[in-house]
PDB file of all heavy atoms in Angstrom:
ATOM      1  N   LEU A1393      25.211  24.911 -19.781  1.00 91.00           N
ATOM      2  CA  LEU A1393      25.669  25.617 -18.587  1.00 91.00           C
ATOM      3  C   LEU A1393      26.777  24.720 -17.946  1.00 91.00           C
ATOM      4  O   LEU A1393      26.534  23.596 -17.507  1.00 91.00           O
ATOM      5  CB  LEU A1393      24.509  25.741 -17.611  1.00 91.00           C
ATOM      6  CG  LEU A1393      24.805  26.511 -16.243  1.00 91.00           C
ATOM      7  CD1 LEU A1393      25.122  27.964 -16.570  1.00 91.00           C
ATOM      8  CD2 LEU A1393      23.628  26.352 -15.329  1.00 91.00           C
ATOM      9  N   PRO A1394      28.031  25.205 -17.896  1.00 91.00           N
ATOM     10  CA  PRO A1394      29.091  24.415 -17.358  1.00 91.00           C
ATOM     11  C   PRO A1394      28.966  24.207 -15.875  1.00 91.00           C
ATOM     12  O   PRO A1394      28.399  25.026 -15.141  1.00 91.00           O
ATOM     13  CB  PRO A1394      30.355  25.220 -17.658  1.00 91.00           C
ATOM     14  CG  PRO A1394      29.843  26.659 -17.787  1.00 91.00           C
ATOM     15  CD  PRO A1394      28.496  26.518 -18.370  1.00 91.00           C
ATOM     16  N   GLU A1396      30.723  22.272 -12.092  1.00 93.00           N
ATOM     17  CA  GLU A1396      31.920  21.782 -11.375  1.00 93.00           C
ATOM     18  C   GLU A1396      31.434  21.144 -10.043  1.00 93.00           C
ATOM     19  O   GLU A1396      30.389  21.390  -9.557  1.00 93.00           O
ATOM     20  CB  GLU A1396      32.895  22.907 -11.147  1.00 93.00           C
ATOM     21  CG  GLU A1396      32.418  24.044 -10.209  1.00 93.00           C
ATOM     22  CD  GLU A1396      33.363  25.188 -10.134  1.00 93.00           C
ATOM     23  OE1 GLU A1396      33.729  25.733 -11.171  1.00 93.00           O
ATOM     24  OE2 GLU A1396      33.741  25.469  -8.975  1.00 93.00           O
ATOM     25  N   ARG A1398      31.605  20.912  -6.098  1.00 91.00           N
ATOM     26  CA  ARG A1398      31.871  21.910  -5.054  1.00 91.00           C
ATOM     27  C   ARG A1398      31.374  21.383  -3.726  1.00 91.00           C
ATOM     28  O   ARG A1398      30.544  20.460  -3.646  1.00 91.00           O
ATOM     29  CB  ARG A1398      31.149  23.213  -5.367  1.00 91.00           C
ATOM     30  CG  ARG A1398      31.455  23.727  -6.732  1.00 91.00           C
ATOM     31  CD  ARG A1398      30.742  25.069  -7.080  1.00 91.00           C
ATOM     32  NE  ARG A1398      31.145  26.134  -6.248  1.00 91.00           N
ATOM     33  CZ  ARG A1398      30.701  27.395  -6.269  1.00 91.00           C
ATOM     34  NH1 ARG A1398      29.719  27.676  -7.109  1.00 91.00           N
ATOM     35  NH2 ARG A1398      31.136  28.310  -5.511  1.00 91.00           N
ATOM     36  N   PRO A1465      26.575  24.536 -10.698  1.00 94.00           N
ATOM     37  CA  PRO A1465      27.039  25.429 -11.733  1.00 94.00           C
ATOM     38  C   PRO A1465      28.427  25.888 -11.465  1.00 94.00           C
ATOM     39  O   PRO A1465      28.825  26.016 -10.262  1.00 94.00           O
ATOM     40  CB  PRO A1465      26.053  26.587 -11.697  1.00 94.00           C
ATOM     41  CG  PRO A1465      24.823  25.987 -11.089  1.00 94.00           C
ATOM     42  CD  PRO A1465      25.268  24.985 -10.114  1.00 94.00           C
ATOM     43  N   SER A1466      29.179  26.189 -12.470  1.00 92.00           N
ATOM     44  CA  SER A1466      30.566  26.643 -12.279  1.00 92.00           C
ATOM     45  C   SER A1466      30.670  27.958 -11.479  1.00 92.00           C
ATOM     46  O   SER A1466      29.671  28.712 -11.486  1.00 92.00           O
ATOM     47  CB  SER A1466      31.264  26.824 -13.592  1.00 92.00           C
ATOM     48  OG  SER A1466      30.694  27.872 -14.328  1.00 92.00           O
ATOM     49  N   THR A1467      31.764  28.220 -10.856  1.00 90.00           N
ATOM     50  CA  THR A1467      31.995  29.434 -10.147  1.00 90.00           C
ATOM     51  C   THR A1467      31.790  30.707 -10.991  1.00 90.00           C
ATOM     52  O   THR A1467      31.178  31.680 -10.609  1.00 90.00           O
ATOM     53  CB  THR A1467      33.384  29.493  -9.519  1.00 90.00           C
ATOM     54  OG1 THR A1467      33.599  28.267  -8.762  1.00 90.00           O
ATOM     55  CG2 THR A1467      33.590  30.678  -8.616  1.00 90.00           C
ATOM     56  N   GLU A1468      32.263  30.602 -12.236  1.00 89.00           N
ATOM     57  CA  GLU A1468      32.101  31.763 -13.161  1.00 89.00           C
ATOM     58  C   GLU A1468      30.680  32.049 -13.475  1.00 89.00           C
ATOM     59  O   GLU A1468      30.234  33.246 -13.426  1.00 89.00           O
ATOM     60  CB  GLU A1468      32.934  31.507 -14.434  1.00 89.00           C
ATOM     61  CG  GLU A1468      34.383  31.471 -14.266  1.00 89.00           C
ATOM     62  CD  GLU A1468      34.922  30.157 -13.635  1.00 89.00           C
ATOM     63  OE1 GLU A1468      34.110  29.217 -13.607  1.00 89.00           O
ATOM     64  OE2 GLU A1468      36.093  30.099 -13.263  1.00 89.00           O
ATOM     65  N   SER A1469      29.922  30.982 -13.799  1.00 88.00           N
ATOM     66  CA  SER A1469      28.497  31.282 -14.126  1.00 88.00           C
ATOM     67  C   SER A1469      27.644  31.708 -12.933  1.00 88.00           C
ATOM     68  O   SER A1469      26.563  32.291 -13.088  1.00 88.00           O
ATOM     69  CB  SER A1469      27.861  30.038 -14.778  1.00 88.00           C
ATOM     70  OG  SER A1469      27.886  28.929 -13.832  1.00 88.00           O
ATOM     71  N   SER A1470      28.196  31.434 -11.724  1.00 87.00           N
ATOM     72  CA  SER A1470      27.478  31.850 -10.508  1.00 87.00           C
ATOM     73  C   SER A1470      27.923  33.197 -10.058  1.00 87.00           C
ATOM     74  O   SER A1470      27.354  33.811  -9.122  1.00 87.00           O
ATOM     75  CB  SER A1470      27.732  30.849  -9.364  1.00 87.00           C
ATOM     76  OG  SER A1470      27.445  29.535  -9.786  1.00 87.00           O
ATOM     77  N   GLY A1471      28.974  33.799 -10.677  1.00 85.00           N
ATOM     78  CA  GLY A1471      29.478  35.032 -10.243  1.00 85.00           C
ATOM     79  C   GLY A1471      29.465  36.120 -11.359  1.00 85.00           C
ATOM     80  O   GLY A1471      28.408  36.651 -11.734  1.00 85.00           O
ATOM     81  N   ILE A1472      30.671  36.405 -11.910  1.00 82.00           N
ATOM     82  CA  ILE A1472      30.798  37.541 -12.821  1.00 82.00           C
ATOM     83  C   ILE A1472      30.026  37.391 -14.094  1.00 82.00           C
ATOM     84  O   ILE A1472      29.664  38.286 -14.769  1.00 82.00           O
ATOM     85  CB  ILE A1472      32.264  37.860 -13.089  1.00 82.00           C
ATOM     86  CG1 ILE A1472      32.939  36.587 -13.696  1.00 82.00           C
ATOM     87  CG2 ILE A1472      33.022  38.255 -11.866  1.00 82.00           C
ATOM     88  CD1 ILE A1472      34.403  36.835 -14.196  1.00 82.00           C
ATOM     89  N   GLU A1473      29.783  36.126 -14.497  1.00 87.00           N
ATOM     90  CA  GLU A1473      29.031  35.796 -15.748  1.00 87.00           C
ATOM     91  C   GLU A1473      27.526  35.696 -15.576  1.00 87.00           C
ATOM     92  O   GLU A1473      26.824  35.513 -16.561  1.00 87.00           O
ATOM     93  CB  GLU A1473      29.633  34.587 -16.417  1.00 87.00           C
ATOM     94  CG  GLU A1473      31.038  34.634 -16.796  1.00 87.00           C
ATOM     95  CD  GLU A1473      31.585  33.364 -17.424  1.00 87.00           C
ATOM     96  OE1 GLU A1473      30.761  32.409 -17.574  1.00 87.00           O
ATOM     97  OE2 GLU A1473      32.802  33.299 -17.713  1.00 87.00           O
ATOM     98  N   PHE A1474      27.061  35.760 -14.341  1.00 91.00           N
ATOM     99  CA  PHE A1474      25.641  35.501 -14.059  1.00 91.00           C
ATOM    100  C   PHE A1474      24.734  36.450 -14.822  1.00 91.00           C
ATOM    101  O   PHE A1474      23.733  36.009 -15.416  1.00 91.00           O
ATOM    102  CB  PHE A1474      25.402  35.619 -12.546  1.00 91.00           C
ATOM    103  CG  PHE A1474      23.963  35.304 -12.200  1.00 91.00           C
ATOM    104  CD1 PHE A1474      23.500  33.988 -12.096  1.00 91.00           C
ATOM    105  CD2 PHE A1474      23.008  36.359 -11.951  1.00 91.00           C
ATOM    106  CE1 PHE A1474      22.172  33.746 -11.715  1.00 91.00           C
ATOM    107  CE2 PHE A1474      21.691  36.076 -11.582  1.00 91.00           C
ATOM    108  CZ  PHE A1474      21.303  34.743 -11.536  1.00 91.00           C
ATOM    109  N   GLU A1475      25.063  37.674 -14.882  1.00 90.00           N
ATOM    110  CA  GLU A1475      24.162  38.708 -15.503  1.00 90.00           C
ATOM    111  C   GLU A1475      24.071  38.503 -16.993  1.00 90.00           C
ATOM    112  O   GLU A1475      23.096  38.921 -17.666  1.00 90.00           O
ATOM    113  CB  GLU A1475      24.620  40.130 -15.203  1.00 90.00           C
ATOM    114  CG  GLU A1475      24.528  40.584 -13.790  1.00 90.00           C
ATOM    115  CD  GLU A1475      23.115  40.664 -13.250  1.00 90.00           C
ATOM    116  OE1 GLU A1475      22.284  40.921 -14.133  1.00 90.00           O
ATOM    117  OE2 GLU A1475      22.865  40.454 -12.147  1.00 90.00           O
ATOM    118  N   ASP A1476      25.027  37.835 -17.556  1.00 91.00           N
ATOM    119  CA  ASP A1476      25.059  37.550 -19.053  1.00 91.00           C
ATOM    120  C   ASP A1476      24.322  36.253 -19.411  1.00 91.00           C
ATOM    121  O   ASP A1476      24.125  36.008 -20.565  1.00 91.00           O
ATOM    122  CB  ASP A1476      26.528  37.447 -19.537  1.00 91.00           C
ATOM    123  CG  ASP A1476      27.258  38.750 -19.327  1.00 91.00           C
ATOM    124  OD1 ASP A1476      26.616  39.808 -19.410  1.00 91.00           O
ATOM    125  OD2 ASP A1476      28.461  38.710 -19.049  1.00 91.00           O
ATOM    126  N   LEU A1477      23.895  35.520 -18.397  1.00 91.00           N
ATOM    127  CA  LEU A1477      23.161  34.282 -18.689  1.00 91.00           C
ATOM    128  C   LEU A1477      21.759  34.549 -19.075  1.00 91.00           C
ATOM    129  O   LEU A1477      21.168  35.566 -18.772  1.00 91.00           O
ATOM    130  CB  LEU A1477      23.172  33.350 -17.414  1.00 91.00           C
ATOM    131  CG  LEU A1477      24.509  32.861 -16.927  1.00 91.00           C
ATOM    132  CD1 LEU A1477      24.390  32.070 -15.600  1.00 91.00           C
ATOM    133  CD2 LEU A1477      25.279  32.063 -17.989  1.00 91.00           C
ATOM    134  N   GLN A1482      19.838  31.468 -15.446  1.00 93.00           N
ATOM    135  CA  GLN A1482      19.842  32.093 -14.170  1.00 93.00           C
ATOM    136  C   GLN A1482      18.931  31.407 -13.203  1.00 93.00           C
ATOM    137  O   GLN A1482      19.259  31.233 -12.008  1.00 93.00           O
ATOM    138  CB  GLN A1482      19.422  33.559 -14.337  1.00 93.00           C
ATOM    139  CG  GLN A1482      20.371  34.425 -15.017  1.00 93.00           C
ATOM    140  CD  GLN A1482      19.920  35.900 -15.057  1.00 93.00           C
ATOM    141  OE1 GLN A1482      18.803  36.220 -14.763  1.00 93.00           O
ATOM    142  NE2 GLN A1482      20.909  36.818 -15.424  1.00 93.00           N
ATOM    143  N   VAL A1485      20.820  28.233 -12.011  1.00 94.00           N
ATOM    144  CA  VAL A1485      21.858  28.627 -11.087  1.00 94.00           C
ATOM    145  C   VAL A1485      21.323  28.908  -9.688  1.00 94.00           C
ATOM    146  O   VAL A1485      21.770  28.338  -8.683  1.00 94.00           O
ATOM    147  CB  VAL A1485      22.697  29.821 -11.597  1.00 94.00           C
ATOM    148  CG1 VAL A1485      23.655  30.331 -10.546  1.00 94.00           C
ATOM    149  CG2 VAL A1485      23.498  29.436 -12.868  1.00 94.00           C
ATOM    150  N   THR A1486      20.321  29.759  -9.626  1.00 94.00           N
ATOM    151  CA  THR A1486      19.728  30.086  -8.334  1.00 94.00           C
ATOM    152  C   THR A1486      19.062  28.912  -7.636  1.00 94.00           C
ATOM    153  O   THR A1486      19.164  28.778  -6.431  1.00 94.00           O
ATOM    154  CB  THR A1486      18.790  31.346  -8.427  1.00 94.00           C
ATOM    155  OG1 THR A1486      17.793  30.978  -9.425  1.00 94.00           O
ATOM    156  CG2 THR A1486      19.510  32.566  -8.835  1.00 94.00           C
ATOM    157  N   TYR A1489      21.609  26.629  -6.020  1.00 95.00           N
ATOM    158  CA  TYR A1489      22.091  27.079  -4.711  1.00 95.00           C
ATOM    159  C   TYR A1489      21.000  26.874  -3.645  1.00 95.00           C
ATOM    160  O   TYR A1489      21.316  26.656  -2.504  1.00 95.00           O
ATOM    161  CB  TYR A1489      22.501  28.554  -4.804  1.00 95.00           C
ATOM    162  CG  TYR A1489      23.910  28.693  -5.374  1.00 95.00           C
ATOM    163  CD1 TYR A1489      24.130  28.953  -6.710  1.00 95.00           C
ATOM    164  CD2 TYR A1489      25.052  28.447  -4.635  1.00 95.00           C
ATOM    165  CE1 TYR A1489      25.345  29.033  -7.268  1.00 95.00           C
ATOM    166  CE2 TYR A1489      26.323  28.536  -5.120  1.00 95.00           C
ATOM    167  CZ  TYR A1489      26.482  28.866  -6.442  1.00 95.00           C
ATOM    168  OH  TYR A1489      27.711  28.942  -7.002  1.00 95.00           O
TER     169      TYR A1489
END
Side-chain angles (χ1 to χ4, degrees):
L1393 184 67
E1396 64 184 57
R1398 305 179 68 181
S1466 67
T1467 305
E1468 292 76 13
S1469 61
S1470 307
I1472 59 176
E1473 297 178 2
F1474 181 80
E1475 293 295 332
D1476 298 326
L1477 298 177
Q1482 288 183 349
V1485 170
T1486 54
Y1489 281 98

